[in-house]
Amino acid sequence: MENGYVAVDTDGRVTGVAADLASLGVNVSEPCRKSNGEDVEIVDFGDRLLIPAMNDLHVHASQYRNQGIAMDLELLPWLQKYTFPEEMKYADTGYAERMYRRFVRDLWRFGTMRACVFATSHTESTRLLMHLFQEAGMGALVGKVAMNRNCPEGLSESVEEMLQGYEELIAEFNNPEALVRPIVTPRFVPSCTPEMLRACGELAAKYRLPVQSHLSENKDELALVQTLESIWYGAAYNRYGLFGQTPTVMAHCVYTRGKELRLMKRNDVMVAHCPTSNLNVASGMAPIRQFLDEGLRVGLGSDISGGHDLNIFRVMVYAIQVSKMHFLRNHARPFLTLPEVFWMATKSAGSFFGKVGSFEPGYEFDALVIDDSDLNHDHYSLLERLERYIYLGDDRQIVHRFCRGNEIIM
Ligand code: GUN
Ligand code: FE
């Protein structure tokens, strides 16, 4: 909408969108008052773009130092050689605080107001990350990472220690309405014994907590899961109550087909599509068009540090480009379009956090104001301006950021 208005109430929820103030009940002769007498504050952003804020459905805060390095291995050796050694450093809360501060600030910079985040298995540094999100006023589902096999001792915890850590975090952050909440996070099947997976499923059920993990990312990983659990990947999570029994998001799903796809649909398990990660770790191309055709909910994830770019606008571009490669290999289905990937990063991913990601009435006002005057030198249409910002813009053009109606300033 050109020169339109979004109306937001004092709880930070959108009440309407209109081309003129009168349609929103504002008394035009006395524009700080509604016709029913209520006060209104009118903020004029001029010719800037006002869009829903970004949501990152899958990101490892604890891998921030490895962003942009270590791209020479596939998933399983990559975890052992680069990722686990880095995550072990988060036993030190001083290190965790330095890195997590940068991470939260950079999410903010790129306009991501909600994220599904993996911390590490360390309870104290996970708590610290949750406090940093709270201080910032941004939304985050933060996972203490459950893991007890195929990893160094410094990351492994007993089932009892894992439960104890979660109980502490849940006791502190137990409000279902809060912007920052725990999410049950078994790292992935190869990292968790059956007892660990079962305990995670029971924990999610007990507190009605959401669940996040990794699914069908890499072929060697699939073979390992088959050896460990004697069953296909999604069924292994499902067996322990970790596959849609509470709201669930699974990252990657590069090799999800057939039974696994149908079970995800039936259980309403969301897909976090991470195209940069799938390229960097040489995992493959997820069949996102097929997922959409089958009615799965799909959002985008930066998956730092498998992925290298925290900027979700850039991840949108990769999602389109990977989809075109997929299309060139197999013309059976069309490639993804800009409106589709924009929807994935806003309304679709936002649905995992509640009524988030749209300016429809009742949605929380999470928004970005973008000053694209440098990019808009030849009078592009509104849609072209958005497209150019997505392809060419960066954090320098984001001039205001809102989460649940509050302007977030750092
Ligand atoms: N599978 C299990 N752990 C990880 C991780 O840290 N990154 C990615 N990309 N996949 C995983
Ligand atoms: Fe990941």
Side-chain angles (χ1 to χ4, degrees), residues 142-153:
V142 180
K144 166 186 159 67
V145 179
M147 51 200 293
N148 67 343
R149 68 174 167 187
N150 298 318
C151 65
E153 217 172 285

Side-chain angles (χ1 to χ4, degrees), residues 242-410:
L242 294 164
F243 213 57
Q245 286 76 13
T246 61
T248 301
V249 59
M250 288 287 163
H252 307 301
C253 308
V254 171
Y255 297 99
T256 295
R257 305 283 188 284
K259 287 182 291 207
E260 189 162 281
L261 202 163
R262 286 194 293 278
L263 188 58
M264 290 185 79
K265 166 76 181 149
R266 184 163 355 116
N267 291 4
D268 196 21
V269 174
M270 250 191 117
V271 177
H273 176 40
C274 308
T276 52
S277 175
N278 298 157
L279 290 171
N280 292 330
V281 197
S283 299
M285 298 185 281
I288 301 302
R289 166 63 64 201
Q290 186 183 356
F291 293 166
L292 296 182
D293 288 349
E294 306 271 353
L296 291 194
R297 289 154 71 209
V298 181
L300 297 178
S302 66
D303 194 26
I304 302 295
S305 65
H308 61 281
D309 204 329
L310 191 59
N311 181 347
I312 292 292
F313 293 100
R314 233 16 81 70
V315 176
M316 284 185 213
V317 174
Y318 279 100
I320 293 173
Q321 291 178 338
V322 166
S323 168
K324 287 175 177 169
M325 290 301 292
H326 198 261
F327 164 80
L328 289 170
R329 201 169 61 170
N330 171 3
H331 281 68
R333 296 172 199 262
F335 48 76
L336 297 174
T337 64
L338 191 92
E340 286 172 325
V341 297
F342 186 71
W343 165 82
M344 281 183 204
T346 54
K347 188 172 174 182
S348 183
S351 68
F352 200 69
F353 303 93
K355 292 198 99 176
V356 170
S358 173
F359 291 157
E360 289 157 88
Y363 274 74
E364 300 186 38
F365 184 68
D366 283 25
L368 306 177
V369 178
I370 293 172
D371 182 345
D372 67 334
S373 44
D374 282 351
L375 300 170
N376 186 26
H377 40 73
D378 272 318
H379 306 291
Y380 295 96
S381 73
L382 214 44
L383 202 58
E384 287 168 341
R385 285 173 61 186
L386 179 61
E387 186 168 5
R388 277 173 64 84
Y389 178 72
I390 291 169
Y391 272 85
L392 306 174
D394 59 46
D395 57 302
R396 288 169 300 182
Q397 286 100 30
I398 306 179
V399 290
H400 298 279
R401 298 152 177 87
F402 296 87
C403 183
R404 196 178 267 181
N406 295 313
E407 179 157 12
I408 310 298
I409 295 169
M410 276 199 192

Side-chain angles (χ1 to χ4, degrees), residues 58 60 63 75-76 78-79 83-84 87 118 187-188 190-191 214-215 217 221 233 251-252 277-278 281 283 303-307:
H58 183 81
H60 298 258
Q63 296 173 18
L75 178 65
L76 299 176
W78 175 85
L79 286 171
T83 306
F84 294 159
E87 291 192 14
F118 281 57
R187 178 172 210 115
F188 69 156
S191 293
H214 298 91
L215 178 68
E217 176 178 5
E221 173 205 24
Y233 209 155
H252 307 301
S277 175
N278 298 157
V281 197
S283 299
D303 194 26
I304 302 295
S305 65

Side-chain angles (χ1 to χ4, degrees), residues 89-101 125 128:
K89 299 180 190 166
Y90 287 74
D92 173 356
T93 51
Y95 183 78
E97 174 155 13
R98 283 198 302 284
M99 297 310 297
Y100 283 161
R101 270 194 194 283
S125 47
L128 206 146

